[in-house]
Amino acid sequence: MRLKTADEIELMREAGRVLARVMRTVSEAIEPGRTTILQLDTLADELITGAGCIPSFKGYKGFPNAACISRNDVVVHGIPTEEVLVEGDIVSLDFGVIREGWHADSAWTFPVGQISDDARRLLSVTKECLMQGIAKARVGNRVGDISATVQKYAESNGYGVVRDLVGHGIGVELHEPPSVPNFGRAKTGPVLREGVTMCIEPMINQGTHKVRFESDGWTVRTADGRLSAHFEHTIAVTSSGPVILTQE
Ligand code: MG
Ligand code: MG
């Protein structure tokens, strides 16, 4: 793990602020029955570059767009298309920003117009998984404390926790050690020290935790076709507790 100084964390926070602002603006552009997924990606790309930053996903391992946009049963890594978002959909926006060489990465799942009570509950439980995981990101805890907390809350609500994709360290690279799984045992894994920066990102399914990878090399869907939600923040472990860097 590459530990960051307070000054470096402050630079990551600036990248995170840009990301959070773009996330909010893009989400506000969603109009049921009108907005295409590609329009949201284009807007994110323009806002990120307009802020003097680089959209880190674009070109990452050949990913074609600035944002991964994942609708309904798409878990993560959806490639933007001309599909129109319709009332009742849920849609995850996931993107990364590089500012002055420092990365931030965040994802949020939004309702498109009125959504079902079941979908609403999935969003609120997944967001709560993220918040409970972040609360465990304390000096002296271990990565497994985050993992176990997220898994317990999701499964106690009857949901499946995706195994095949995990959170990650972040800093001068989009993906750095350690891996931050959303499942596992407390008191196991790397010890968290002051200056650890990482992305906690629960991916929670309504049904089975199993996923399938599409032949486009990116799109990940739930194996049973039911909904999936994804919430992610970049956070720093500090002597005064966890700090969320991807907020305005
Ligand atoms: Mg992300
Ligand atoms: Mg991430």
Side-chain angles (χ1 to χ4, degrees), residues 144-196:
D145 296 316
I146 298 170
S147 307
T149 298
V150 170
Q151 181 177 16
K152 187 175 169 197
Y153 190 72
E155 291 182 349
S156 72
N157 278 281
Y159 292 143
V161 178
V162 173
R163 304 292 199 275
D164 293 344
L165 300 138
V166 297
H168 50 94
I170 185 170
V172 291
E173 306 283 350
L174 176 57
H175 295 121
E176 296 183 0
S179 286
V180 185
N182 297 301
F183 56 94
R185 287 174 34 235
K187 300 186 168 60
T188 65
V191 176
L192 300 175
R193 298 167 60 192
E194 192 174 349
V196 168

Side-chain angles (χ1 to χ4, degrees), residues 1 9 44 53 75 82 106 111 172 178 202 204 211 219:
M1 276 186 262
I9 289 170
C53 301
V75 179
E82 301 276 7
S106 179
V172 291
I204 305 298
V211 299
T219 312

